[in-house]
mmCIF file of all heavy atoms in Angstrom:
data_model
loop_
_atom_site.group_PDB
_atom_site.id
_atom_site.type_symbol
_atom_site.label_atom_id
_atom_site.label_comp_id
_atom_site.label_asym_id
_atom_site.label_seq_id
_atom_site.Cartn_x
_atom_site.Cartn_y
_atom_site.Cartn_z
ATOM 1 N N VAL U 43 19.234 -65.982 -28.349
ATOM 2 C CA VAL U 43 19.840 -65.680 -29.646
ATOM 3 C C VAL U 43 20.345 -64.240 -29.632
ATOM 4 O O VAL U 43 20.161 -63.515 -28.656
ATOM 5 C CB VAL U 43 18.815 -65.871 -30.782
ATOM 6 C CG1 VAL U 43 18.359 -67.312 -30.861
ATOM 7 C CG2 VAL U 43 17.623 -64.951 -30.577
ATOM 8 N N SER U 44 20.971 -63.844 -30.728
ATOM 9 C CA SER U 44 21.435 -62.462 -30.825
ATOM 10 C C SER U 44 20.247 -61.513 -30.882
ATOM 11 O O SER U 44 19.158 -61.885 -31.314
ATOM 12 C CB SER U 44 22.308 -62.293 -32.067
ATOM 13 O OG SER U 44 23.462 -63.086 -31.974
ATOM 14 N N VAL U 45 20.491 -60.286 -30.447
ATOM 15 C CA VAL U 45 19.371 -59.348 -30.280
ATOM 16 C C VAL U 45 19.641 -57.984 -30.896
ATOM 17 O O VAL U 45 20.776 -57.618 -31.177
ATOM 18 C CB VAL U 45 19.047 -59.143 -28.783
ATOM 19 C CG1 VAL U 45 18.594 -60.439 -28.137
ATOM 20 C CG2 VAL U 45 20.260 -58.553 -28.050
ATOM 21 N N TYR U 46 18.550 -57.279 -31.111
ATOM 22 C CA TYR U 46 18.580 -55.842 -31.344
ATOM 23 C C TYR U 46 18.099 -55.189 -30.043
ATOM 24 O O TYR U 46 17.212 -55.701 -29.379
ATOM 25 C CB TYR U 46 17.617 -55.446 -32.471
ATOM 26 C CG TYR U 46 17.928 -56.061 -33.816
ATOM 27 C CD1 TYR U 46 16.981 -56.862 -34.469
ATOM 28 C CD2 TYR U 46 19.135 -55.825 -34.457
ATOM 29 C CE1 TYR U 46 17.250 -57.412 -35.717
ATOM 30 C CE2 TYR U 46 19.406 -56.373 -35.708
ATOM 31 C CZ TYR U 46 18.463 -57.167 -36.328
ATOM 32 O OH TYR U 46 18.724 -57.713 -37.561
ATOM 33 N N LEU U 47 18.659 -54.030 -29.717
ATOM 34 C CA LEU U 47 18.325 -53.354 -28.467
ATOM 35 C C LEU U 47 17.925 -51.907 -28.722
ATOM 36 O O LEU U 47 18.507 -51.249 -29.592
ATOM 37 C CB LEU U 47 19.510 -53.408 -27.505
ATOM 38 C CG LEU U 47 19.876 -54.815 -27.012
ATOM 39 C CD1 LEU U 47 21.313 -54.865 -26.566
ATOM 40 C CD2 LEU U 47 18.943 -55.230 -25.892
ATOM 41 N N PHE U 48 16.965 -51.435 -27.953
ATOM 42 C CA PHE U 48 16.411 -50.102 -28.154
ATOM 43 C C PHE U 48 16.203 -49.410 -26.798
ATOM 44 O O PHE U 48 15.931 -50.062 -25.789
ATOM 45 C CB PHE U 48 15.035 -50.182 -28.838
ATOM 46 C CG PHE U 48 15.005 -50.960 -30.124
ATOM 47 C CD1 PHE U 48 14.921 -52.340 -30.117
ATOM 48 C CD2 PHE U 48 15.047 -50.302 -31.342
ATOM 49 C CE1 PHE U 48 14.882 -53.068 -31.293
ATOM 50 C CE2 PHE U 48 15.001 -51.015 -32.533
ATOM 51 C CZ PHE U 48 14.920 -52.392 -32.500
ATOM 52 N N TRP U 49 16.302 -48.089 -26.823
ATOM 53 C CA TRP U 49 15.792 -47.262 -25.743
ATOM 54 C C TRP U 49 14.772 -46.302 -26.346
ATOM 55 O O TRP U 49 15.050 -45.610 -27.335
ATOM 56 C CB TRP U 49 16.897 -46.452 -25.065
ATOM 57 C CG TRP U 49 17.640 -47.201 -23.999
ATOM 58 C CD1 TRP U 49 18.855 -47.807 -24.098
ATOM 59 C CD2 TRP U 49 17.206 -47.394 -22.644
ATOM 60 N NE1 TRP U 49 19.199 -48.381 -22.893
ATOM 61 C CE2 TRP U 49 18.220 -48.144 -21.983
ATOM 62 C CE3 TRP U 49 16.080 -47.007 -21.907
ATOM 63 C CZ2 TRP U 49 18.132 -48.511 -20.644
ATOM 64 C CZ3 TRP U 49 15.988 -47.377 -20.581
ATOM 65 C CH2 TRP U 49 17.012 -48.117 -19.959
ATOM 66 N N TYR U 50 13.592 -46.286 -25.708
ATOM 67 C CA TYR U 50 12.561 -45.336 -26.088
ATOM 68 C C TYR U 50 12.339 -44.383 -24.914
ATOM 69 O O TYR U 50 12.500 -44.752 -23.751
ATOM 70 C CB TYR U 50 11.243 -46.054 -26.382
ATOM 71 C CG TYR U 50 11.171 -46.752 -27.720
ATOM 72 C CD1 TYR U 50 11.730 -48.021 -27.893
ATOM 73 C CD2 TYR U 50 10.544 -46.153 -28.806
ATOM 74 C CE1 TYR U 50 11.652 -48.663 -29.128
ATOM 75 C CE2 TYR U 50 10.460 -46.793 -30.033
ATOM 76 C CZ TYR U 50 11.017 -48.051 -30.186
ATOM 77 O OH TYR U 50 10.943 -48.681 -31.398
ATOM 78 N N VAL U 51 11.894 -43.156 -25.226
ATOM 79 C CA VAL U 51 11.578 -42.173 -24.198
ATOM 80 C C VAL U 51 10.125 -41.748 -24.362
ATOM 81 O O VAL U 51 9.617 -41.622 -25.492
ATOM 82 C CB VAL U 51 12.528 -40.954 -24.263
ATOM 83 C CG1 VAL U 51 12.461 -40.255 -25.618
ATOM 84 C CG2 VAL U 51 12.211 -39.960 -23.152
ATOM 85 N N GLN U 52 9.456 -41.578 -23.221
ATOM 86 C CA GLN U 52 8.064 -41.119 -23.232
ATOM 87 C C GLN U 52 7.949 -39.889 -22.352
ATOM 88 O O GLN U 52 8.050 -39.979 -21.124
ATOM 89 C CB GLN U 52 7.136 -42.229 -22.724
ATOM 90 C CG GLN U 52 5.657 -41.871 -22.804
ATOM 91 C CD GLN U 52 4.765 -43.000 -22.296
ATOM 92 O OE1 GLN U 52 5.147 -43.764 -21.430
ATOM 93 N NE2 GLN U 52 3.564 -43.111 -22.864
ATOM 94 N N TYR U 53 7.747 -38.735 -22.986
ATOM 95 C CA TYR U 53 7.528 -37.496 -22.237
ATOM 96 C C TYR U 53 6.077 -37.463 -21.768
ATOM 97 O O TYR U 53 5.221 -38.151 -22.333
ATOM 98 C CB TYR U 53 7.868 -36.284 -23.093
ATOM 99 C CG TYR U 53 9.324 -36.247 -23.504
ATOM 100 C CD1 TYR U 53 9.718 -36.569 -24.800
ATOM 101 C CD2 TYR U 53 10.317 -35.920 -22.582
ATOM 102 C CE1 TYR U 53 11.053 -36.561 -25.174
ATOM 103 C CE2 TYR U 53 11.651 -35.912 -22.938
ATOM 104 C CZ TYR U 53 12.012 -36.238 -24.239
ATOM 105 O OH TYR U 53 13.338 -36.240 -24.598
ATOM 106 N N PRO U 54 5.775 -36.677 -20.739
ATOM 107 C CA PRO U 54 4.410 -36.642 -20.197
ATOM 108 C C PRO U 54 3.367 -36.416 -21.278
ATOM 109 O O PRO U 54 3.523 -35.547 -22.144
ATOM 110 C CB PRO U 54 4.483 -35.483 -19.199
ATOM 111 C CG PRO U 54 5.904 -35.448 -18.766
ATOM 112 C CD PRO U 54 6.707 -35.822 -19.974
ATOM 113 N N ASN U 55 2.336 -37.226 -21.232
ATOM 114 C CA ASN U 55 1.201 -37.126 -22.164
ATOM 115 C C ASN U 55 1.588 -37.332 -23.630
ATOM 116 O O ASN U 55 0.937 -36.787 -24.536
ATOM 117 C CB ASN U 55 0.497 -35.771 -22.013
ATOM 118 C CG ASN U 55 -0.029 -35.563 -20.613
ATOM 119 O OD1 ASN U 55 -0.669 -36.428 -20.040
ATOM 120 N ND2 ASN U 55 0.287 -34.415 -20.034
#
Side-chain angles (χ1 to χ4, degrees):
Chain U
V43 297
S44 297
V45 297
Y46 299 121
L47 294 157
F48 306 82
W49 276 100
Y50 283 82
V51 59
Q52 184 180 30
Y53 297 105
N55 300 312

